[in-house]
Amino acid sequence: MLKMEGIWKTFNAGTVNEKTALSGLDLELKEGDFVTVIGGNGAGKSTMLNAVAGVWPVDEGKIYIDDIDVTKLPEHKRAKYLGRVFQDPMTGTASGMQIEENLALAARRGEFRFLKPGITHKERSYYRERLATLGLGLEDRMTTKVRLLSGGQRQALTLLMATLKRPKILLLDEHTAALDPKTAAKVLEATDRIVGENHLTTMMITHNMKDAIVHGNRLIMMYEGHIIYDVAGEEKKKLKVSDLLEKFEQASGGEFANDRMMLA
Amino acid sequence: MKFINALPGPVAQGLIWGIMAIGVYITYKVLDLADLTVDGTMATGGAVCIVMMQSGHSVGVSLLAAFLAGMAAGLVTGLFHTAMGIPAILAGILTQLGLYSVNLRIMGEKANVALAFGKYDQLVSLRWIRDVPFYQNTIFVSAVFVLVLIVILYWFFGTELGCAIRATGNNENMSRAQGINTNTGKLVGLMLSNGIVSLSSALYAQYNGFADVNAGRGAIVIGLAAVIIGNVILGKVSRNFAFKLFSVVVGAIIYWVVYQIVITAGLNANDMKLISALVVAIFLAVPYWKRKYFSKPVKKGGASNA
């Protein structure tokens, strides 16, 4: 479904702030894989997701989605294949537009937009149904401007938008990190349900090791811009947080870690 | 009494500038860009329209040509901004400067071209404010123009393309993630905006009876003033998009009525640009001051930068 081959990305090349964020990253996802991604700050997790999304061109390497070479495709064209939810609840929605307008925008992802109506009656009733599944009461506030919603509501809405039109790959960039624990749990629950119902190929970055173990069928750990640990199936289910800490220590040559993330 | 007698003039002027202010609204409020191209296009439209009418074209064709010329100017600014990466404000300033030469070329190297009254099928004129049948009255004609424009824009910004442009102005990251080409959104928005401003310019030149190369000087400030006045006075009444456009036109009318009052009161007309600039500066500062000095401390959510 997704293939990344030898991806390199360096930011601010040639300056004192030079930072190699991805160094020869290889990754292949199978259809229906739900991969959780962990790693310390600056390990390249978000950079990897942004490389898939095409936020900027990569320096080297190839990216294939469903065997289509998307390496050179700009972000808005790649959007056709991707559903994305960001860490910052402000990023995923148009705050000055209504809930239903946001959904209508998402429903047209990857389609040519011209002078057809931006939203139709038929769509509205469909959106109402879908919003109801979130259990947040948003179905009764469809014409509310999104800026009036809480962070959790916005993330839930963004998640719905990302999956309204079935994406080939769902990219979740720590989409619960900015939420309080209770709301985060709710959004994660919705994530599990939506991914499961639609058998979506998913990559989810998380700072929470327990979440990384509990959710999904595969787990990868990143360090200095590439993958250092990749585990799936039964082996992943049996993982404990302490195993992950050990792995990290091994990989980073004992550099471990007061890295706060690993203790989450 | 002198003022009341003079009132219909500023109302007509306000309606015509209201069209211009709607153009400014599209860039400033919908796209969230400050587009200074309009200082040029506010002269271009008049130049194109008057010259075309003089050479025997109908008023309809001339207005259409003015609209298209404005769109072309918007396209240039849009390309400066999107294809060449020039900041929007600077892109607008560059086009505006270039348009000065273009406008002079259009008018045959003359700074001012007059349209002989009564010889052409013009739509509006400052002589048609009173003592004419209502359908010929400039206030009526301009109001119809405004109404039709608002209806068309209300429809347009409800279409898929219109929604994409609004999303672009709202949140570019989100728009791209939803497959919207934000550069196209900005281009279309800038073209539409400048086309409308140019149309207003064409009407204003007919109204005055001449096209002037300096007609657009400071136009952006008047347009912003109209947007701000309209928002201050009618912003709380309705959130409906059509009503927002309507309130911008009301803002323009108020601007010109106040202008008339100040002039009638004996102020030097040459000082008006200074006063407009200061008034707009203060109104633009109000939201900032509110945030800075009057906001209650907001409780931080569970957000972390981790």
Side-chain angles (χ1 to χ4, degrees), chain B residues 8-24 42 46 63 122-129 137-146 149 196-209 222-223 226 248-250 252-253 256:
Chain B
V11 170
Q13 214 169 342
L15 281 165
I16 294 172
W17 276 84
I19 296 172
M20 185 272 175
I22 286 176
V24 170
M42 197 57 198
L63 284 174
Q122 66 192 93
L123 278 176
V124 293
S125 167
L126 45 76
R127 304 183 197 214
W128 292 341
I129 300 295
N137 191 307
T138 287
I139 294 180
F140 175 76
V141 174
S142 316
V144 170
F145 248 91
V146 166
L149 184 65
I196 290 168
V197 170
S198 188
L199 193 65
S200 161
S201 166
L203 287 172
Y204 196 53
Q206 289 179 41
Y207 176 83
N208 284 325
I222 298 175
V248 165
V249 177
V250 171
I253 294 172
W256 285 107

Side-chain angles (χ1 to χ4, degrees), chain A residues 217-237:
Chain A
N217 66 331
R218 184 173 162 194
L219 179 150
I220 59 178
M221 186 187 285
M222 290 185 72
Y223 181 72
E224 289 188 343
H226 54 269
I227 291 160
I228 53 168
Y229 183 51
D230 186 343
V231 56
E234 284 306 307
E235 200 187 338
K236 173 186 179 270
K237 278 186 199 157

Side-chain angles (χ1 to χ4, degrees), chain A residues 41 75-76 79 82 84 86-87 90-97 101-102 105-106 108-110 112-119 145 161 174 177-178 207, chain B residues 155-168 170-184 239 244 301-306:
Chain A
N41 287 326
E75 188 179 6
H76 68 270
L82 304 170
R84 288 160 73 192
F86 310 88
Q87 177 176 356
M90 301 297 164
T91 311
T93 44
S95 62
M97 295 174 79
E101 287 177 329
N102 271 276
L105 284 169
R108 288 161 176 75
R109 181 162 43 77
F112 180 69
R113 296 166 207 251
F114 199 48
L115 298 178
K116 279 186 288 179
I119 182 166
K145 294 260 161 80
M161 285 165 62
E174 288 192 60
H207 261 167
Chain B
W155 164 78
F156 176 74
F157 282 105
T159 64
E160 293 179 344
L161 178 61
C163 284
I165 293 173
R166 282 159 61 210
T168 301
N170 243 279
N171 184 341
E172 282 196 52
N173 284 324
M174 172 269 190
S175 301
R176 279 192 292 267
Q178 300 302 344
I180 293 167
N181 187 340
T182 50
N183 282 346
T184 308
R239 292 195 169 282
K244 291 267 179 211
S304 70
N305 290 323

Side-chain angles (χ1 to χ4, degrees), chain B residues 19 25 37 43 58 61 72-74 76 96 102 104 118 122 124 127 166 182 193 227 231-232 234 236 245 263 289 304:
Chain B
I19 296 172
Y25 183 91
T37 318
S58 73
V61 171
V76 171
Q96 180 208 118
V102 174
L104 278 173
Q122 66 192 93
V124 293
R127 304 183 197 214
R166 282 159 61 210
T182 50
S193 164
V227 170
N231 188 43
V232 166
L234 295 171
K236 292 262 190 301
L245 296 181
I263 298 292
W289 286 338
S304 70

Side-chain angles (χ1 to χ4, degrees), chain B:
Chain B
M1 205 53 215
K2 197 171 149 207
F3 164 67
I4 299 288
N5 272 333
L7 199 57
V11 170
Q13 214 169 342
L15 281 165
I16 294 172
W17 276 84
I19 296 172
M20 185 272 175
I22 286 176
V24 170
Y25 183 91
I26 291 172
T27 44
Y28 183 64
K29 284 286 185 182
V30 178
L31 267 184
D32 199 17
L33 289 178
D35 175 32
L36 301 191
T37 318
V38 296
D39 274 28
T41 26
M42 197 57 198
T44 306
V48 170
C49 182
I50 298 298
V51 168
M52 293 265 304
M53 284 174 79
Q54 277 184 340
S55 59
H57 294 279
S58 73
V59 69
V61 171
S62 307
L63 284 174
L64 182 68
F67 181 74
L68 293 176
M71 285 185 94
L75 178 66
V76 171
T77 301
L79 289 175
F80 279 165
H81 179 48
T82 58
M84 293 162 70
I86 300 169
I89 288 196
L90 199 50
I93 291 174
L94 291 174
T95 312
Q96 180 208 118
L97 181 70
L99 276 178
Y100 189 84
S101 304
V102 174
N103 293 340
L104 278 173
R105 287 270 176 190
I106 294 171
M107 298 199 287
E109 308 290 339
K110 280 180 287 189
N112 189 297
V113 177
L115 188 75
F117 183 76
K119 283 175 74 180
Y120 304 94
D121 57 344
Q122 66 192 93
L123 278 176
V124 293
S125 167
L126 45 76
R127 304 183 197 214
W128 292 341
I129 300 295
R130 54 173 77 86
D131 306 327
V132 286
F134 81 92
Y135 56 83
Q136 205 191 356
N137 191 307
T138 287
I139 294 180
F140 175 76
V141 174
S142 316
V144 170
F145 248 91
V146 166
L147 199 70
V148 171
L149 184 65
I150 289 179
V151 168
I152 293 175
L153 289 177
Y154 184 72
W155 164 78
F156 176 74
F157 282 105
T159 64
E160 293 179 344
L161 178 61
C163 284
I165 293 173
R166 282 159 61 210
T168 301
N170 243 279
N171 184 341
E172 282 196 52
N173 284 324
M174 172 269 190
S175 301
R176 279 192 292 267
Q178 300 302 344
I180 293 167
N181 187 340
T182 50
N183 282 346
T184 308
K186 288 181 190 174
L187 277 178
V188 175
L190 282 166
M191 287 170 71
L192 185 62
S193 164
N194 280 288
I196 290 168
V197 170
S198 188
L199 193 65
S200 161
S201 166
L203 287 172
Y204 196 53
Q206 289 179 41
Y207 176 83
N208 284 325
F210 60 83
D212 192 300
V213 76
N214 288 316
R217 183 162 292 169
I220 181 71
V221 178
I222 298 175
L224 284 178
V227 170
I228 294 166
I229 295 169
N231 188 43
V232 166
I233 292 183
L234 295 171
K236 292 262 190 301
V237 179
S238 165
R239 292 195 169 282
N240 180 287
F241 184 72
F243 186 81
K244 291 267 179 211
L245 296 181
F246 170 75
S247 61
V248 165
V249 177
V250 171
I253 294 172
I254 292 173
Y255 176 89
W256 285 107
V257 169
V258 171
Y259 182 93
Q260 186 65 42
I261 294 173
V262 175
I263 298 292
T264 317
L267 218 82
N268 187 339
N270 291 333
D271 291 337
M272 274 312 287
K273 288 217 192 313
L274 174 65
I275 294 169
S276 307
L278 291 176
V279 168
V280 169
I282 287 169
F283 272 107
L284 287 175
V286 166
Y288 172 74
W289 286 338
K290 264 193 188 158
R291 265 202 317 278
K292 194 165 178 197
Y293 301 110
F294 298 103
S295 67
K296 294 175 194 122
V298 182
K299 255 197 274 174
K300 282 258 162 36
S304 70
N305 290 323

